[in-house]
């Protein structure tokens, strides 16, 4: 009998613990009911035309018709010379008079944008403006009295906090998925202007442009993209913080375009090895690889090799922070820039410029290495630049990397690179000749790290070679 009572007690404790666990789990039912009405389904239509199509000159029964049918882009009877492509996405209402936020890639190139509300009403929308750099678009429908989303503060989000997404994955409208915040301030390749919120919320095609909610029912982000090898959800989702999106929409609504600040520099991350080479206590800031001629940074006195530690009073913990902070600055404003130069801090004043259209930079090709040349301690075959090459690159000297041998290939040096300088403990030495370079290398031990300033095409970068060997 005592065993029976003991077993019953264990069962009661187990059920009690399960009930307690159930009470601790978040309930998204109220959030879905109340906030689902601000979410919209967006469908777009794009018309593709064949501009080279011409009127078919022959009757279909003409013997010449078959030849021209295969080799000439005529508008053949019965074959359409334009076709439509359709895509789906999501969005959410931010004002009662019909302004809606979504992703720029959802409405990009669309000839027609249709918005379907939660109550099944449909409207034709116009695109007020879009910004590819942040993937934010603002569209407008002619309606009034609409329910508008409540906006939250992404800076108050905590890693591990519950969040939910509502959207139309694969066209299934008003689907809600939930998860937690996995990380904040995440930088992605080619996405320098957005400190993404990373979550494990299930996001799939069709969710793009939909809202990310906190547990208070406030929008904290716009679901933008996923990391996937399959094309579907794999546990890594990224959202644009709502404060970033609202700043973009304010500019789009007022002027139809987005203005961003710029410095006119090319930067790279400060690694542990680079920090040691530049005499920094720890990896921090952003190294300036090159400075644009006549740009804001050059006018402020910023030089290649400077490490930017603060911009307009804001610390630069990593190189990814700088583009976002500079871009949010007002063009024409004057800001303080704290740099690390030759082992000491220096404060400069910079007048912020405005971002220009990106330019394509062509890579310069190197010549073939000469037979019988010996590699130096780094495993490099180098040659001194000719006067013509110096003039072409607008440099006073340097060494052209003709070939790479041995382990140095791991350092990302490439044939065609030009070595401009060697940096050791914050001291920068310009490279003028092969003999000088080899003499400098002879002063390092086998296990030493060597940091080089390298010109590649029209850009400069710092490269650290770990362990130079014999």
């Amino acid at each position: 009998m005592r065993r029976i009572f003991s077993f019953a007690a264990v069962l009661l404790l187990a059920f009690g613990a399960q009930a307690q666990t159930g009470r601790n789990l978040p309930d998204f039912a109220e959030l879905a009911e109340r906030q689902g009405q601000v979410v919209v389904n967006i469908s777009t239509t794009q018309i593709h035309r064949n501009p080279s199509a011409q009127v078919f000159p022959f009757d279909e029964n003409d013997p010449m018709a078959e030849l021209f049918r295969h080799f000439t882009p005529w508008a053949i009877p019965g074959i359409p010379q334009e076709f439509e492509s359709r895509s789906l996405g999501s969005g959410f209402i931010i004002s009662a008079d019909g302004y809606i936020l979504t992703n720029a890639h959802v409405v990009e190139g669309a000839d027609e944008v249709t918005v379907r509300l939660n109550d099944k009403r449909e409207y034709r929308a116009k695109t007020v403006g879009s910004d590819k750099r942040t993937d934010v678009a603002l569209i407008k429908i002619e309606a009034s009295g609409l329910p508008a989303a409540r906006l939250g503060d992404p800076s108050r989000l905590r890693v591990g906090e519950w969040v939910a997404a509502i959207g139309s994955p694969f066209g299934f409208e008003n689907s809600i998925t939930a998860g937690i915040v996995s990380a904040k301030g995440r930088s992605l390749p080619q996405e320098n202007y957005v400190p993404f919120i990373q979550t494990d919320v299930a996001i799939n095609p069709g969710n793009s442009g939909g809202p990310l909610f906190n547990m208070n029912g406030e929008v904290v982000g716009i679901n933008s993209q996923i990391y996937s090898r399959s094309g579907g959800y794999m546990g890594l989702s990224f959202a644009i913080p709502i404060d970033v999106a609202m700043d973009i929409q304010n500019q789009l609504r007022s002027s139809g375009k987005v203005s961003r600040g710029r410095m006119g520099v090319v930067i790279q991350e400060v690694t542990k090895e680079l920090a040691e080479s530049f005499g920094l206590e720890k990896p921090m800031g952003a190294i300036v690889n090159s400075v644009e001629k006549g740009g804001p940074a050059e006018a402020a006195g910023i030089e290649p090799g400077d490490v930017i530690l603060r911009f307009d009073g804001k610390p630069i913990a990593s190189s990814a922070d700088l583009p976002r902070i500079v871009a949010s600055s007002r063009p024409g404003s004057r800001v303080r820039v704290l740099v690390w130069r030759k082992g000491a801090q220096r404060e400069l004043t910079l007048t912020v410029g405005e971002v220009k259209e990106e330019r394509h930079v062509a890579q310069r090709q190197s010549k073939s290495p000469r037979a019988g040349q010996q590699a130096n301690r780094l495993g490099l075959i180098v040659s001194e630049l000719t006067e013509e090459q110096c003039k072409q690159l607008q440099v006073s000297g340097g060494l052209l990397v003709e070939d790479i041998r041995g382990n140095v290939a791991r350092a990302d040096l490439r044939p065609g690179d030009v070595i401009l300088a060697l940096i050791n403990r914050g001291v920068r030495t310009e490279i003028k000749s092969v003999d000088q370079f080899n003499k400098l290398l002879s002063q390092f031990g086998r296990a030493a790290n060597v940091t080089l300033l390298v010109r590649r095409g029209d850009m400069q970068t710092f490269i650290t070679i770990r362990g130079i060997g014999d």
Side-chain angles (χ1 to χ4, degrees), residues 213-234:
F213 292 98
N214 62 19
M215 290 304 295
N216 294 325
E218 300 167 329
V219 177
V220 291
I222 303 178
N223 297 308
S224 175
Q225 53 188 291
I226 61 175
Y227 177 85
S228 176
R229 293 179 177 173
S230 64
Y233 170 71
M234 291 185 66

Side-chain angles (χ1 to χ4, degrees), residues 362-412:
Q363 295 284 338
R364 189 177 63 84
Q365 299 298 319
S366 68
K367 59 184 180 180
S368 300
R370 294 191 295 269
Q373 279 186 289
Q374 295 294 317
N376 62 19
R377 286 190 68 190
L378 294 179
L380 304 175
I381 294 179
V382 295
S383 63
E384 293 167 14
L385 294 177
T386 65
E387 289 185 13
E388 180 62 28
Q389 288 172 325
C390 288
K391 184 178 179 181
Q392 201 174 37
L393 294 171
Q394 296 182 335
V395 296
S396 59
L399 301 181
L400 176 67
V401 177
E402 297 188 1
D403 197 13
I404 298 175
R405 298 172 184 174
N407 293 334
V408 74
R410 295 177 299 179
D412 195 34

